[in-house]
Amino acid sequence: MTGTKRASALIVVLAISLGSFAAAAADSFYLEVSPKSPGDLARLMDALEESFDEALVRREPVVIVLHGEEAGIFTRQSYAENRTLVDRAALLDAYNLIDMRMCETWMSNNNIEKSDLLPFIDTVPYAPEEIRKLRTEGYLQHPSVEI
């Protein structure tokens, strides 16, 4: 995927420290996937819920960094039409299983204000930089969720 396509696509970075990976010392993992529809996001939530059910020990939530068209699902204006998916994400966030962050650069380019976001969505200045930061902090890529 080119940098331009990457910037325009929804990028979901999953920074994972799941109990099922506890044997790999204290390593943290991240996954990077590009959902193209709400259905892809629903399948991602399914996979996350299944992996959490199997996890024995978890220290940190999965970090999901959103930017691109599908990030708009997590705005107040889109809640009614995406209620099931958003409620699933909110529940996972409430149990500290995920930490959802949206790119402020993408938000600015799409006229979305912080006040437009649902309460459980945090923001980061620039999604690609957040991804680099996670990698710098020692997160390793793990390809266990495919959509």
Side-chain angles (χ1 to χ4, degrees):
M1 179 180 285
T2 68
T4 303
K5 288 182 182 177
R6 178 169 279 183
S8 64
L10 167 68
I11 302 298
V12 177
V13 175
L14 305 174
I16 296 185
S17 178
L18 296 174
S20 60
F21 302 119
D27 292 337
S28 296
F29 296 90
Y30 76 87
L31 301 170
E32 186 172 340
V33 293
S34 299
K36 295 174 181 61
S37 71
D40 283 349
L41 286 170
R43 284 189 293 283
L44 175 62
M45 294 297 161
D46 290 341
L48 288 171
E49 288 168 346
E50 288 175 23
S51 69
F52 294 141
D53 289 342
E54 296 169 5
L56 299 175
V57 177
R58 287 189 19 83
R59 288 175 280 171
E60 302 199 19
V62 173
V63 177
I64 301 176
V65 182
L66 302 168
H67 69 106
E69 185 177 329
E70 294 304 322
I73 288 172
F74 296 98
T75 62
R76 293 177 189 277
Q77 296 84 344
S78 298
Y79 176 73
E81 62 195 79
N82 297 291
R83 180 183 308 256
T84 301
L85 178 63
V86 171
D87 287 351
R88 288 175 74 188
L91 183 62
L92 290 170
D93 183 83
Y95 282 104
N96 200 36
L97 297 175
I98 64 173
D99 178 8
M100 298 192 71
R101 304 171 186 177
M102 190 176 295
C103 177
E104 292 172 5
T105 302
W106 180 86
M107 291 168 56
S108 176
N109 291 338
N110 289 277
N111 299 315
I112 295 176
E113 301 291 327
K114 287 185 181 182
S115 62
D116 295 329
L117 300 180
L118 295 165
F120 66 96
I121 306 292
D122 296 318
T123 63
V124 296
Y126 186 58
E129 184 57 38
E130 185 73 5
I131 293 165
R132 283 189 287 278
K133 177 182 161 195
L134 290 168
R135 290 177 180 158
T136 300
E137 291 174 357
Y139 288 92
L140 306 173
Q141 187 169 9
H142 189 282
S144 66
V145 177
E146 292 184 26
I147 54 175

